[in-house]
Amino acid sequence: MAVQYKSLPFKEAIAFFRNKLNVPSSRWTDVWKDAHDTAFMVAGAAKADLLKDLRAAVDEAISQGTTLETFRQHFDETVEKTGWSYKGGRGWRTRLIYETNLRTAYAAGRHAQLTDPDLLRVRPYWRYLHGGSKDPRPEHLNWDGMVLPADDPWWNEHYPPNGWGCSCKVVAMGPADLKRLGKDGPDKAPSVTRRPWQDSTGARQEEVPEGVDPGWNYAPGRTVAERTRRTVEQKRSLLPEILANAMAAEILSALRRNPKEL
């Protein structure tokens, strides 16, 4: 069954996706980890018109909540028009493009919401929740229900999704929420065991955390949030305190509407 997000569309996810640039590619490793925050790519899609049409179909799915079947119709039209010879079966390839882009846009949009300073003040913890997959990764089941501070370094490589098809998510928690869970405080981050990996060409190689697929050990949207905070702080430092606080609120509000306004 295809991924469905009843909470989509929402502005943070839409803004995240629309702020990307189209990047031609020959293989899936050409755009790596957090480079996906600013690049839209489909492995093997190297022509501008092909990327444009695929992007439009993905945008419709994210902004209007269209289904996988609707996306497949647009995909077929694009393939017929451009003559694209893609790898893999139609069912597998369309599901991969559709679900990967929806999941990462959703995750990045949630990251923008979860890192809002006003929310962090009252809910400074994040809880990992397993997505309920029929074929779960053991590590994801082990992390289910774990609560860590939002700024714990563990999230830098384990903020979901943590691999192809992963539907895990994060929710914000406050002190009262922890008490209801029977916790006196946040949990301790699990130790990270790494395994060596390299792609079939040898162009990419690194040590990947267990439980995380290669290329997925990053937090979607994090680099965008960090860049925003740096911009705000740089501008704030040049103004009197009253004006600086007002400016920061205005910039952050504008960013939530459209990151390109910065």
Side-chain angles (χ1 to χ4, degrees):
M1 185 176 181
V3 59
Q4 292 182 343
Y5 292 122
K6 294 181 180 179
S7 57
L8 283 180
F10 69 99
K11 60 185 179 181
E12 290 88 353
I14 298 170
F16 169 78
F17 183 77
R18 289 181 176 173
N19 200 43
K20 294 188 177 190
L21 300 175
N22 291 350
V23 176
S25 66
S26 58
R27 58 179 65 89
W28 71 276
T29 55
D30 287 348
V31 176
W32 195 240
K33 295 197 295 191
D34 57 15
H36 286 282
D37 281 356
T38 53
F40 171 74
M41 61 86 72
V42 174
K47 295 182 178 180
D49 57 342
L50 171 60
L51 270 175
K52 179 181 177 181
D53 287 352
L54 290 173
R55 179 182 182 135
V58 172
D59 186 289
E60 182 178 306
I62 293 172
S63 62
Q64 300 180 34
T66 53
T67 66
L68 174 59
E69 288 308 313
T70 299
F71 175 77
R72 282 173 169 159
Q73 293 172 15
H74 293 320
F75 179 87
D76 291 342
E77 294 168 0
T78 296
V79 169
E80 182 177 359
K81 182 174 71 172
T82 62
W84 185 35
S85 180
Y86 58 88
K87 294 182 180 180
R90 171 184 177 270
W92 170 81
R93 195 65 196 274
T94 51
R95 181 184 292 272
L96 185 71
I97 297 170
Y98 177 87
E99 291 195 351
T100 298
N101 280 283
L102 259 68
R103 290 188 195 280
T104 53
Y106 175 86
R110 286 287 293 147
H111 193 281
Q113 294 175 337
L114 292 168
T115 55
D116 184 291
D118 292 335
L119 180 62
L120 283 173
R121 273 192 287 272
V122 295
R123 293 190 172 181
Y125 309 110
W126 290 351
R127 189 184 188 200
Y128 191 104
L129 294 178
H130 182 254
S133 170
K134 292 182 179 180
D135 187 22
R137 297 165 173 86
E139 295 86 357
H140 297 194
L141 287 177
N142 290 337
W143 301 334
D144 184 41
M146 179 180 63
V147 178
L148 298 176
D151 59 357
D152 193 295
W154 190 85
W155 294 115
N156 294 344
E157 290 191 293
H158 297 84
Y159 180 91
N162 285 311
W164 308 104
C166 173
S167 57
C168 297
K169 62 181 181 180
V170 167
V171 295
M173 308 287 289
D177 299 312
L178 267 63
K179 287 184 179 180
R180 281 193 290 270
L181 293 174
K183 296 178 181 288
D184 295 328
D187 300 309
K188 181 180 179 181
S191 59
V192 179
T193 303
R194 301 178 183 275
R195 66 189 189 280
W197 172 87
Q198 70 174 27
D199 69 0
S200 58
T201 67
R204 294 282 186 188
Q205 53 185 342
E206 64 174 57
E207 291 191 339
V208 183
E210 290 289 353
V212 181
D213 289 348
W216 289 83
N217 50 322
Y218 77 102
R222 179 171 172 247
T223 60
V224 177
E226 289 182 343
R227 187 168 61 248
T228 301
R229 283 193 291 270
R230 287 196 300 269
T231 300
V232 171
E233 290 307 314
Q234 288 171 359
K235 293 184 177 181
R236 276 172 58 96
S237 66
L238 302 175
L239 296 173
E241 184 176 358
I242 294 178
L243 295 179
N245 291 338
M247 183 221 67
E250 183 176 348
I251 288 177
L252 290 172
S253 176
L255 179 69
R256 296 182 191 112
R257 294 193 301 271
N258 183 0
K260 291 184 177 179
E261 291 184 19
L262 284 183

